[in-house]
RNA sequence: GGUCCCGUAGCUCAAUGGAUAGAGCAACUGCCUUCUAAGCAGUAGGUUACUGGUUCGACCCCAGUCGGGAUCACCA
């Protein structure tokens, strides 16, 4: 992730292109320079790759490098000081070191995100961002957690760049699954509610979903034992028949069923809210399937009238997408009821109506890749111009070391348990430390949650979202190495230094990058280089819908700071110019660590 | 079977078509009288699944093979 800015364009690239153009040998073939970040094992910050231009010029890279050596010293900053301090050719690469004058200028521009004053013209967009979207029959699990963290981080990233982001979820509150829980509760719940049962609402409802499945499986066994076929038994088990009847009643707005439905969904929402709050995520608007599933139907009717869809003999409505390389897809059942995708069509149009979004992002697992291809194709077929601006943020499944999570085998990792676990572990770690004995129990508990969540969030966000990943509980709970707590720790050390500096009044608040101190340590230079990568990192993360870039940055900056901290005294530095410079670096590093953690939804405690 | 995704150190993950493929964990060595050792420095670990092709240059692009996963419901 190399920073490129207007100064580098004007003072480095344009003169280089002009110089190329003056070279008669290859004036007919204007080479396009390829820039990259210099690898850390070489001297320099920016590297010009010479293979292409050398070939076009008919020269060896070494000869071209030799000629360019006449050119580099002519490059100047606006005030006439040199732009580059060194140029080393290594093989086909030219490694350029930027001058201290450049780094001083870069410092003066600031590093924090500031969408008003960027190099590129910025167009803020209204973006509807969907994530989470659970069913209401069971609690959230590890898969939801990855989903929620991705969505939340994308919200923070896009917002930080100045976009208006509306966080939404669609809640699948309707259908046979919730009826199963309702029925089981009626049969086995003995009138208990979450409070009287002492169970969190979503878990309470989830418990009855499991109870239903148990009773259902028992009945199937029984029927098979009586000589029915498996298929027959699965279809005719009395408890399933009853659940279907309940769904029918719900669709007819039967008052008793609707009341029960409302009551049990309310339990679930209460439970979800606790989980969301603890996880630190939220939403601006919920779309309930029960409220939007009918909207899709009218959209389908419209498509039928326009001849875009067709109705078969049984009365079912289909869309043919073979011209787009997809299959036919059913939109309405023969009994006229809507299917999953019908509801999504309606919800999409509703959201465009509600927000007039420029873009919409659906954070949904990659097992639904095909579903979203079809959805967007249908929206396009219906003639919505915004269909092309809908995007499926497709992420990979989270596996366990022993394979996929399976509810039947009881291996599903529950979101609440997960947070308990990480908090407990962090609390144990705090308890063995003697650094924080002065904190109250409440403060310790809060800190433990912050650290535990940092471990969990960083673990899930550092991976490229598109990739399937393995959740290894032992590694996820690690507080050392390539982890969230590692980054937090760097931030805490910095905070501590800065707190002491201000209490000692050590910082004189002069321009910390004056030429008075110019004997920069390699780790100081590295920090400046890291700072400049912050903005391009966030822009890349936004463009690619990939928060892992932000996690990479945070880790890289924390590492750079740790090295600096090890090599360079700050408060104990006798030279006041050097001390000011280092304190300024510390202040900036602290700010950017906090910002980068912030975009991952991770707290930056000042002590740990 | 059709379509899509994936295969990198023992494990988990990085690497805009560029340099000697990098981190962390696990293993082994050093470093706390020194601004927070949740740290730093070092050792070891690789035929980037395999075979071909394109290219000055391929983990990356193309074709094929093998292996894993997802999806192709009048389920959601």
């Amino acid at each position: 992730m190399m920073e490129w800015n207007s100064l580098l364009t004007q003072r480095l690239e344009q003169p280089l292109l002009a110089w190329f153009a003056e070279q008669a040998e290859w004036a007919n073939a204007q080479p396009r320079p390829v820039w990259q970040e210099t690898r850390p094992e070489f001297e320099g910050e920016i590297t010009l790759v010479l293979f292409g231009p050398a070939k076009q010029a008919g020269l060896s890279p070494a000869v071209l490098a030799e000629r360019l050596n006449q050119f580099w010293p002519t490059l100047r900053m606006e005030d006439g000081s040199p732009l580059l301090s060194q140029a080393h050719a290594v093989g086909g690469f030219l490694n350029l070191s930027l001058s201290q004058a450049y780094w001083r200028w870069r410092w003066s521009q600031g590093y924090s995100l500031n969408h008003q004053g960027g190099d590129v013209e910025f167009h803020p967009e209204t973006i509807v961002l969907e994530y989470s979207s659970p069913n209401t029959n069971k609690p959230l699990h590890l898969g939801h957690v990855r989903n929620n963290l991705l969505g939340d981080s994308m919200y923070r990233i896009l917002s930080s760049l100045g976009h208006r982001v509306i966080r939404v979820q669609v809640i699948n509150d309707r259908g046979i699954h919730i009826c199963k829980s309702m029925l089981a509760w009626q049969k086995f719940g003995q009138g208990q509610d979450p409070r009287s049962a002492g169970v969190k609402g979503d878990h309470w409802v989830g418990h009855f979903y499991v109870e239903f499945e148990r009773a259902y499986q028992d009945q199937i066994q029984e029927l098979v034992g009586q000589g029915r076929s498996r298929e027959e038994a699965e279809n005719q088990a009395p408890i399933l028949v009853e659940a279907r009847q309940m769904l029918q009643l719900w669709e007819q707005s039967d008052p008793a069923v609707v009341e029960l439905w409302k009551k049990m969904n309310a339990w679930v929402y209460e439970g979800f809210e606790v989980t969301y709050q603890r996880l630190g995520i939220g939403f601006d608007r919920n779309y309930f399937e029960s409220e939007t599933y009918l909207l899709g139907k009218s959209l389908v009717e419209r498509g039928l009238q326009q001849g875009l869809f067709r109705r078969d003999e049984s009365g079912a409505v289909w869309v043919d997408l073979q011209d787009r390389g997809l299959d036919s897809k059913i939109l309405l059942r023969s009994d006229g009821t809507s299917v999953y995708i019908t509801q999504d069509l309606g919800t999409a149009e509703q959201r465009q109506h509600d927000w007039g979004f420029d873009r919409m992002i659906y954070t949904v697992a990659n097992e639904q890749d095909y579903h979203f291809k079809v959805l967007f194709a249908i929206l396009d077929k219906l003639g919505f111009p915004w269909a092309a601006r809908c995007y499926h943020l497709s992420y990979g499944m989270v596996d366990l070391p022993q394979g996929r999570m399976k509810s039947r085998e009881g291996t599903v990792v529950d979101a609440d348990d997960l947070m308990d676990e990480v908090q407990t572990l962090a609390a144990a770690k705090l308890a063995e430390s003697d650094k924080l004995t002065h904190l109250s129990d409440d403060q310790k508990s809060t800190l433990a949650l912050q650290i535990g969540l940092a471990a969990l969030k960083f673990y899930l966000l550092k991976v490229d979202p598109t990739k399937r990943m393995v959740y290894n509980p032992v590694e996820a709970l690690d507080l050392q190495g390539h982890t969230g707590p590692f980054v937090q720790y760097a931030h805490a050390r910095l905070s501590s230094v800065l707190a002491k500096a201000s209490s000692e009044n050590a910082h004189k608040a002069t321009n910390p990058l004056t030429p008075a101190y110019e004997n920069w340590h390699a780790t100081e230079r590295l920090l400046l280089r890291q700072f400049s990568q912050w903005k391009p990192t966030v822009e890349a993360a936004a463009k690619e819908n990939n928060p892992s870039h932000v996690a990479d940055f945070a880790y890289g900056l924390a590492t750079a700071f740790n090295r600096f901290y090890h090599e360079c005294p700050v408060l104990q530095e006798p030279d006041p110019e050097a001390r000011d410079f280092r304190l300024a670096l510390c202040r900036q590093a602290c700010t950017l660590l906090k910002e980068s953690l912030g975009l991952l939804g991770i707290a930056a405690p000042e002590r740990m």
Side-chain angles (χ1 to χ4, degrees):
Chain A
M1 209 77 57
M2 184 180 70
E3 177 184 58
W4 197 257
N5 55 48
S6 59
L7 184 127
L8 292 175
T9 301
Q10 283 168 26
R11 303 270 164 176
L12 179 59
E13 183 162 50
Q14 285 174 7
L16 178 68
L17 286 170
W19 186 84
F20 277 155
E22 288 165 14
Q23 311 303 307
E25 304 96 294
W26 70 85
N28 54 341
Q30 181 71 245
R32 195 164 44 87
V34 173
W35 302 98
Q36 67 186 47
E37 197 186 342
T38 305
R39 310 196 88 194
E41 60 265 35
F42 298 99
E43 186 91 8
E45 284 97 21
I46 291 185
T47 292
L48 177 62
V49 183
L50 291 178
F51 296 101
K55 195 181 180 191
Q56 288 181 10
L59 303 170
S60 73
V63 172
L64 179 56
E66 185 62 31
R67 293 213 196 165
L68 276 162
N69 275 336
Q70 313 300 312
F71 165 71
W72 301 126
T74 66
L75 298 178
R76 297 280 148 174
M77 306 278 296
E78 294 198 33
D79 64 4
S81 51
L83 176 66
L84 303 172
S85 57
Q86 293 185 73
H88 290 300
V90 183
F93 301 89
L94 251 172
N95 300 326
L96 307 176
S97 298
L98 292 159
S99 66
Q100 293 198 352
Y102 171 82
W103 289 111
R104 286 192 196 95
W105 170 83
R106 184 60 193 83
W107 177 274
S108 74
Q109 300 300 298
Y111 301 104
S112 284
L113 300 172
N114 176 9
H115 40 87
Q116 280 93 15
D119 280 324
V120 201
E121 204 180 328
F122 176 74
H123 302 285
E125 295 178 303
T126 296
I127 301 169
V128 169
L129 173 63
E130 177 188 305
Y131 54 96
S132 201
S133 302
N135 288 333
T136 58
N137 61 331
K138 43 189 160 184
L140 272 40
H141 58 69
L142 178 55
H144 293 112
V145 174
R146 187 179 196 191
N147 181 310
N148 286 333
L149 296 180
L150 281 171
D152 179 60
S153 185
M154 282 314 301
Y155 159 69
R156 294 167 189 269
I157 288 166
L158 293 168
S159 302
S160 76
L161 292 172
H163 296 293
R164 174 189 182 222
V165 185
I166 295 119
R167 300 166 294 172
V168 304
Q169 60 176 336
V170 58
I171 298 181
N172 300 301
D173 60 344
R174 171 201 86 93
I176 191 75
H177 56 272
I178 184 67
C179 288
K180 288 177 179 175
S181 290
M182 286 155 62
L183 186 61
W185 180 80
Q186 276 187 330
K187 287 182 180 300
F188 317 121
Q190 299 173 325
Q192 298 254 46
D193 61 21
R195 189 168 311 230
S196 64
V199 178
K200 193 161 162 282
D202 50 337
H203 290 261
W204 184 238
V205 173
H207 168 73
F208 289 104
Y209 188 77
V210 173
E211 286 298 296
F212 175 93
E213 286 299 324
R214 186 165 301 157
Y216 177 47
Q217 291 303 326
D218 286 351
Q219 290 184 356
I220 290 171
Q221 286 304 318
E222 203 183 317
L223 289 171
V224 169
Q226 291 167 7
R228 310 276 190 95
S229 77
R230 177 116 211 138
E231 194 181 340
E232 214 178 355
E234 283 175 359
N235 225 339
Q236 293 177 359
I239 196 165
L240 181 66
V241 172
E242 236 182 307
R244 286 197 187 123
Q245 283 166 354
M246 191 175 250
L247 182 59
Q248 292 280 324
L249 287 171
W250 181 89
E251 295 203 352
Q252 292 156 21
S253 302
D254 178 88
V257 170
V258 167
E259 190 191 346
L260 175 61
W261 173 78
K262 282 185 177 164
K263 179 164 76 179
M264 289 188 68
N265 270 328
W267 294 346
V268 173
Y269 303 148
E270 261 180 49
F272 282 171
E273 189 52 33
V274 170
T275 305
Y276 287 147
Q277 282 222 351
R278 194 165 175 214
L279 198 52
I281 71 166
F283 300 90
D284 301 303
R285 170 77 81 85
N286 292 331
Y287 288 83
F288 295 91
E289 191 193 346
S290 59
E291 292 171 1
T292 62
Y293 80 105
L294 295 172
L295 296 173
K297 284 192 181 182
S298 55
L299 213 45
V300 172
E301 289 301 332
R302 200 196 307 169
L304 261 177
Q305 282 163 18
Q306 293 170 347
L308 301 171
F309 310 145
R310 69 183 166 78
R311 178 166 265 143
D312 70 11
E313 321 75 54
S314 73
V317 177
W318 295 81
V319 57
D320 182 354
L321 298 170
Q322 288 181 47
D323 53 328
R324 295 159 191 253
L326 302 166
D327 295 325
S328 288
K329 179 81 188 171
I330 193 160
L331 298 177
L332 290 179
R333 297 191 187 96
S334 45
D335 65 3
T337 57
S338 64
V339 293
Y340 182 54
I341 201 159
T342 321
Q343 173 254 133
D344 270 352
L345 290 168
T347 309
E349 193 192 23
Q350 182 68 40
R351 288 174 182 170
Q352 174 60 217
H353 175 261
D354 289 345
W355 310 103
F357 60 77
D358 299 301
R359 282 198 281 153
M360 175 151 64
I361 300 171
Y362 292 88
T363 312
V364 180
N366 63 11
E367 61 189 349
Q368 296 199 38
D369 284 354
Y370 182 75
H371 170 80
F372 280 98
K373 277 186 193 166
V374 170
L375 176 66
F376 299 157
I378 298 172
L379 288 171
D380 185 55
K381 202 162 182 128
L382 282 165
F384 295 119
W386 43 267
R389 302 195 301 272
C390 290
Y391 177 79
H392 175 203
L393 201 182
S394 167
Y395 65 90
M397 299 283 186
V398 184
D399 283 328
L400 302 175
Q402 64 269 27
R404 194 170 179 174
M405 287 193 289
K406 292 194 180 106
S407 54
R408 222 182 301 162
E409 295 171 17
T411 56
V412 174
V413 178
D414 176 76
D416 296 311
D417 291 348
L418 194 53
M419 284 189 279
D420 285 346
E421 210 176 339
V422 295
Q423 183 172 17
T424 302
L425 189 104
K429 175 78 183 179
L430 283 178
E432 45 178 80
S433 158
D434 54 358
K435 293 174 193 165
L436 297 162
T437 44
H438 61 287
L439 292 185
S440 72
D441 285 353
D442 259 13
Q443 288 172 316
K444 281 183 193 164
S445 164
T446 302
L447 188 55
L449 182 60
Q450 288 179 333
I451 294 169
L453 280 179
L456 178 63
K457 291 184 176 186
F458 197 91
Y459 184 83
L460 291 173
L461 287 174
K462 73 178 176 186
V463 181
D464 181 339
T466 61
K467 296 203 171 161
R468 192 181 191 99
M469 68 178 291
V470 173
Y471 177 84
N472 181 325
V474 178
E475 288 178 16
L477 296 179
D478 207 338
L479 308 178
Q480 298 171 9
H482 193 182
T483 68
F486 171 94
V487 181
Q488 285 181 316
Y489 185 67
H491 176 267
R493 289 169 120 187
L494 275 162
S495 301
S496 171
V497 170
L498 293 173
K500 280 183 186 163
S502 84
S503 70
E504 291 170 13
N505 232 345
H507 189 235
K508 302 291 187 294
T510 53
N511 178 0
L513 264 63
T514 53
Y517 172 66
E518 59 179 6
N519 191 20
W520 292 355
H521 190 273
T523 58
E524 296 172 322
R525 208 179 169 90
L526 180 60
L527 278 175
L528 288 170
R529 190 171 157 177
Q530 293 282 332
F531 296 162
S532 70
Q533 288 166 5
W534 175 228
K535 195 169 179 184
T537 296
V538 178
E539 284 166 349
K543 189 175 170 204
E544 297 168 28
N545 296 295
N546 184 353
S548 78
H549 295 312
V550 174
D552 264 358
F553 173 89
Y555 179 70
L557 180 54
T559 302
F561 163 71
N562 282 335
R563 274 196 239 160
F564 159 82
Y565 191 66
H566 190 256
E567 304 270 336
C568 299
V570 180
L571 298 174
Q572 274 138 30
E573 169 58 44
D575 173 6
E577 302 287 352
R579 191 175 61 230
D580 279 1
F581 178 71
R582 288 175 186 165
L583 270 170
L585 291 180
C586 285
R587 190 161 290 126
Q588 188 57 250
C590 191
T591 303
L592 293 186
L593 280 178
K594 190 171 182 173
E595 276 185 30
S596 52
L597 287 172
L599 294 196
L600 300 172
I602 296 175
E606 294 184 358
R607 275 175 292 277
M608 64 185 284

